Amino acid sequence: GINAEYGAVYSSLYIAVYWIMYTLKSRGNDDRITPPTQLEPISPHHISLTISFFVQTILKQVLTMGEEYVMTIFSVISFAQQGVFSTVSKLAAIVVRVGFKHVEDSYYVFFAQMIHRGLPREHQSADADA
């Protein structure tokens, strides 16, 4: 569907912009972004992160819109029925989100206090594992 195409285009554009900005930023010794005289390869770590981001984007798209893809591709139900299904599904999702909002907020605070960004898992405190 259209959303999947936009997701793929967005992911590809994100990767391209990230690579360009990384390459430009790595050339300058100061904080200014200077154009490169020759392109440097991206580190394997960054390539791995980028591929992981792309795969997670595709997986999220399939998991969130999968039933709509199945209904559209295989013509399981009519477009009018798909509209009703989509409306009911989205309204039910709103109810669930409102119901679990306090749980999400409390876990966000918990993990923000327990996990330190930028530190590898091995260097996190022992309390963070509990």
Side-chain angles (χ1 to χ4, degrees):
I2 293 175
N3 287 336
E5 293 166 0
Y6 286 141
V9 169
Y10 176 76
S11 296
S12 301
L13 182 63
Y14 185 84
I15 291 168
V17 168
Y18 175 79
W19 182 73
I20 290 168
M21 294 303 292
Y22 173 78
T23 303
L24 292 175
K25 187 74 172 169
S26 66
R27 283 291 179 188
N29 293 332
D30 55 5
D31 288 340
R32 291 186 348 218
I33 296 176
T34 57
T37 55
Q38 133 185 10
L39 295 178
E40 290 181 8
I42 299 176
S43 70
H45 175 70
H46 286 110
I47 291 173
S48 172
L49 288 175
T50 304
I51 290 171
S52 174
F53 175 75
F54 185 75
V55 169
Q56 287 178 13
T57 301
I58 298 297
L59 186 60
K60 178 191 174 282
Q61 188 67 29
V62 169
L63 290 174
T64 56
M65 302 290 291
E67 73 274 357
E68 294 180 20
Y69 294 145
V70 169
M71 288 187 293
T72 303
I73 292 171
F74 297 113
S75 300
V76 177
I77 58 178
S78 70
F79 286 124
Q81 291 171 329
Q82 286 182 30
V84 171
F85 175 83
S86 179
T87 303
V88 171
S89 177
K90 288 182 178 22
L91 287 174
I94 289 173
V95 171
V96 171
R97 286 181 148 247
V98 168
F100 283 103
K101 181 68 176 151
H102 68 282
V103 174
E104 180 182 355
D105 291 341
S106 63
Y107 274 106
Y108 178 81
V109 170
F110 172 75
F111 284 115
Q113 293 173 351
M114 298 302 292
I115 306 297
H116 302 286
R117 290 182 183 237
L119 286 177
R121 186 172 191 271
E122 303 83 44
H123 296 106
Q124 296 287 336
S125 66
D127 295 337
D129 292 336

